[in-house]
Amino acid sequence: MEIAIVYALFGGQAEAERTAALMIEQRLAACANLLAPGTSLYRWEGRLERAEEVPVLFKTSLERRAALTAAIAAAHAYDLPAVLGWTAQTTADYARWVAAETA
């Protein structure tokens, strides 16, 4: 069975939690895992940047992935948020739970 994983980075714990709760309340995600803050290095507007960010893994149905990705981007504080998604294999029971929570 397959579900979708959507990964996004946030500028702080509070924004990550707020967005995760909103996505679950809107039934776009069944759950979200806030991971330990990490350091991101990237080029932005011609300069090398360094930022402490909080990664979040959202679990959703394949059918809701596009809507979840769009909603995260719309709610995000960044001008260009990194919102990535992929398909993951899981158990039938977990896939059914994800589908029910995002219906």
Side-chain angles (χ1 to χ4, degrees):
M1 301 292 296
E2 295 181 330
I3 63 168
I5 304 293
V6 174
Y7 169 87
L9 293 164
F10 296 90
Q13 188 78 18
E15 181 190 3
E17 286 188 35
R18 187 172 46 254
T19 303
L22 180 62
M23 298 305 117
I24 294 166
E25 288 168 2
Q26 293 179 354
R27 301 188 79 83
L28 293 172
C31 70
N33 302 111
L34 284 72
L35 306 177
T39 302
S40 295
L41 297 171
Y42 54 94
R43 185 175 309 282
W44 183 251
E45 298 180 349
R47 294 190 338 254
L48 181 62
E49 298 286 340
R50 179 186 184 283
E52 297 299 315
E53 296 182 299
V54 177
V56 180
L57 293 174
F58 297 87
K59 281 85 165 212
T60 192
S61 64
L62 296 176
E63 297 78 18
R64 300 291 271 168
R65 177 171 40 197
L68 173 61
T69 299
I72 292 168
H76 211 288
Y78 290 174
D79 292 337
L80 182 62
V83 184
L84 314 168
W86 61 88
T87 302
Q89 300 294 319
T90 189
T91 64
D93 287 342
Y94 192 79
R96 280 191 290 275
W97 177 78
V98 168
E101 291 302 312
T102 57

